[in-house]
Amino acid sequence: MDKLLIEGGRRLAGEAAISGAKNAALPILCAALLTREPVTFTNVPQLNDIGTLLKLLGQMGVKVSRDGDAVTLDASVIDNPVAPYEMVKTMRASILVLGPLVARCGEARVSLPGGCAIGARPVDQHIKGLQAMGAEVQVEHGYVHAMVPRLTGARLFTDMVTVTGTENLMMAACLANGETVIENAAREPEVVDLANCLIAMGARISGAGTDVIRIRGVESLSGTTHRIMPDRIETGTYLCAAAATGGEIRLTRTSTAYVDSVVDKLMDAGCDVTSERDAIRLKAPARLTSVSIRTSPYPAFPTDMQAQFMAINAVANGAAMIRETIFENRFMHAVELQRLGADIRIDGNTAVVHGVERLQGATVMATDLRASASLVIAGLVADGETVIERIYHLDRGYERLEEKLAALGARVRRLT
Ligand code: EPZ
């Protein structure tokens, strides 16, 4: 299993380009199931999760062609509306085929995703919403089996803000009979990017980006070409890496528009951040000031940046409080950061981080995607070498990480 070796103690400097967003590309690729016409997506990141999803769509009968960061999908024929356990277990976002398949085919069999390192992550709201739209849903033998001749528009209220729940129900409602209203909807930029793609396909959607989304169902959708938005979590991760190493970088093909709450906190920590039309510059002080964070749905501070901020606070001046309100088990990285010499105390969903002068390189283990990003940041700062095991987690969400870090002056290499 691949490992990553990082020689720490070098400040990052230079330029790197941000890739397309994993969490926008995943639902948007599933939207292709809603039309019989070919759709082309550009700026699609080359990630393991995307590869898994394309395989999943292919085994349903979708014709998949890829050329660099462009993907064309032709779902004119779907002869197998099934998402098997073997594929879903490797990537829980596969649940995003459920809504489009039920809407398009009137039937779907999708394996339940099961739990993951950061929490139980049930999909009850996805199912509840489809049932409210008239689908008959049975959960048996580990599969969600949904059937309905045609979905009917309904007023949906999700018990909590759920990103993929909102995306699944919004896609399903596009071909429903009548109007659907999703209340307490997720406002994430990825939801808006999906809505924009669906609207370009002929869907009638209003209110994306707010907590009330209205969808008037249509008979059919058409093909389109859509460019995937930049990855705001990748953006935030590189900004944190530069901040923690006292560096000065410019990130291109991205913008502060999607990372306001993150940039605010980095400026509170003493960074100088400037926004350009299609780029971000960050200049860090010699040592950061500790900043406390509380994760919450967009536009508040993203849970997918919590681990990275734990890493930067580990070497900042002062103490920080980190409160995780979205997932019940998202502090796995804390014990690994402690192995590098960090001073972190956990109490339930709150962590208190006392900044230390220096971290020391060691061997650590990645437990999930964003936890592994926090270990990379800590490894860039630590004295000596850090070896991160199980980096397949990183490959799920960061495109060409070693190459981009090397372009910023880091000494990083993969051990196979
Ligand atoms: C999306 O996951 C992202 N994944 C996650 O990013 C991100 O952490 C999360 O949103 C929150 O921002 C993708 O977009 C593919 P939720 P999702 O449904 O949609 C509970 C990364 O690192 N809930 O918004 O699965 C749930 O357990 C990943 O890129 C239910 O109880 O998250 C959680 O506590 C990790 N029942 C909360 O709601 C449901 O039916 C929010 O989860 C649905 C959710």
Side-chain angles (χ1 to χ4, degrees), residues 395-415:
D395 298 335
R396 297 190 47 209
Y398 291 95
E399 187 182 43
R400 292 181 284 109
L401 178 112
E402 294 106 285
E403 207 182 295
K404 294 187 186 185
L405 284 176
L408 295 170
R411 283 243 179 94
V412 179
R413 68 189 161 85
R414 184 174 290 248
L415 307 175

Side-chain angles (χ1 to χ4, degrees), residues 324-399:
E324 174 58 57
T325 73
I326 308 274
F327 293 108
E328 65 273 22
N329 187 35
R330 202 167 204 181
F331 283 150
M332 303 279 278
H333 40 282
V335 279
E336 299 301 317
L337 290 170
Q338 284 164 348
R339 288 180 50 72
L340 299 170
D343 177 351
I344 303 168
R345 293 152 214 196
I346 307 281
D347 179 8
N349 74 342
T350 304
V352 177
V353 185
H354 289 272
V356 297
E357 292 284 339
R358 320 188 69 74
L359 296 177
Q360 303 89 38
T363 300
V364 290
M365 183 156 354
T367 47
D368 62 79
L369 170 57
R370 308 306 171 183
S372 43
S374 79
L375 300 178
V376 169
I377 293 169
L380 290 167
V381 176
D383 297 341
E385 292 185 346
T386 295
V387 174
I388 305 176
E389 297 187 338
R390 298 189 182 180
I391 54 164
Y392 58 81
H393 287 292
L394 267 174
D395 298 335
R396 297 190 47 209
Y398 291 95
E399 187 182 43

Side-chain angles (χ1 to χ4, degrees), residues 22-23 121-125 162-164 304 326-327 370:
K22 167 180 81 80
N23 290 347
R121 304 182 72 179
V123 292
D124 55 307
Q125 300 300 305
T162 161
V163 176
T164 51
D304 294 347
I326 308 274
F327 293 108
R370 308 306 171 183

Side-chain angles (χ1 to χ4, degrees), residues 30-152:
C30 294
L33 294 166
L34 290 167
T35 176
R36 294 177 184 286
E37 296 178 15
V39 278
T40 297
F41 305 113
T42 59
N43 202 28
V44 179
Q46 314 232 7
L47 300 168
N48 291 359
D49 276 8
I50 300 292
T52 306
L53 185 66
L54 293 178
K55 269 201 221 99
L56 179 65
L57 295 173
Q59 62 88 46
M60 292 176 184
V62 178
K63 294 191 197 67
V64 178
S65 62
R66 183 160 211 170
D67 177 12
D69 73 356
V71 172
T72 297
L73 300 176
D74 176 347
S76 46
V77 175
I78 300 176
D79 49 23
N80 180 38
V82 177
Y85 173 69
E86 286 317 313
M87 297 182 122
V88 174
K89 75 175 182 189
T90 62
M91 192 206 38
R92 43 174 314 103
S94 310
I95 193 74
L96 286 161
V97 299
L98 180 61
L101 283 177
V102 177
R104 166 81 187 279
C105 311
E107 181 172 11
R109 270 188 86 243
V110 174
S111 169
L112 278 171
C116 98
I118 65 177
R121 304 182 72 179
V123 292
D124 55 307
Q125 300 300 305
H126 303 233
I127 294 170
K128 187 181 105 174
L130 288 175
Q131 287 170 323
M133 297 167 82
E136 196 196 309
V137 183
Q138 270 141 15
V139 179
E140 51 194 10
H141 308 298
Y143 277 77
V144 179
H145 190 193
M147 284 180 296
V148 63
R150 184 178 181 195
L151 292 167
T152 306

Side-chain angles (χ1 to χ4, degrees), residues 108-318:
R109 270 188 86 243
V110 174
S111 169
L112 278 171
C116 98
I118 65 177
R121 304 182 72 179
V123 292
D124 55 307
Q125 300 300 305
H126 303 233
I127 294 170
K128 187 181 105 174
L130 288 175
Q131 287 170 323
M133 297 167 82
E136 196 196 309
V137 183
Q138 270 141 15
V139 179
E140 51 194 10
H141 308 298
Y143 277 77
V144 179
H145 190 193
M147 284 180 296
V148 63
R150 184 178 181 195
L151 292 167
T152 306
R155 193 172 200 89
L156 310 178
F157 184 90
T158 55
D159 299 351
M160 77 296 293
V161 172
T162 161
V163 176
T164 51
T166 301
E167 293 166 342
N168 235 335
L169 298 173
M170 181 167 70
M171 288 192 277
C174 288
L175 296 178
N177 188 7
E179 181 176 74
T180 298
V181 180
I182 306 177
E183 305 235 19
N184 199 26
R187 302 163 58 185
E188 269 65 7
E190 294 79 13
V191 172
V192 176
D193 201 29
L194 171 63
N196 291 341
C197 175
L198 292 166
I199 291 167
M201 293 165 70
R204 296 172 59 190
I205 301 173
S206 60
T210 75
D211 59 1
V212 179
I213 301 178
R214 287 176 191 282
I215 307 107
R216 177 153 289 288
V218 295
E219 292 300 321
S220 66
L221 292 175
S222 51
T224 190
T225 296
H226 179 84
R227 181 177 173 78
I228 306 287
M229 64 173 279
D231 195 314
R232 63 191 171 103
I233 306 299
E234 186 194 21
T235 301
T237 303
Y238 281 100
L239 291 176
C240 282
T245 59
E248 183 167 0
I249 65 168
R250 182 168 180 266
L251 297 177
T252 59
R253 295 170 49 157
T254 186
S255 107
T256 52
Y258 310 112
V259 282
D260 285 341
S261 59
V262 171
V263 166
D264 271 2
K265 287 293 177 184
L266 288 170
M267 292 168 90
D268 291 351
C271 294
D272 181 15
V273 181
T274 41
S275 168
E276 298 170 19
R277 202 178 61 73
D278 193 29
I280 305 176
R281 271 181 199 282
L282 178 139
K283 184 171 182 339
R287 187 164 187 209
L288 297 172
T289 303
S290 300
V291 279
S292 295
I293 57 162
R294 180 183 188 284
T295 67
S296 211
Y298 191 88
F301 190 90
T303 173
D304 294 347
M305 284 301 303
Q306 178 257 99
Q308 297 90 320
F309 267 70
M310 189 178 279
I312 70 169
N313 275 309
V315 288
N317 188 12

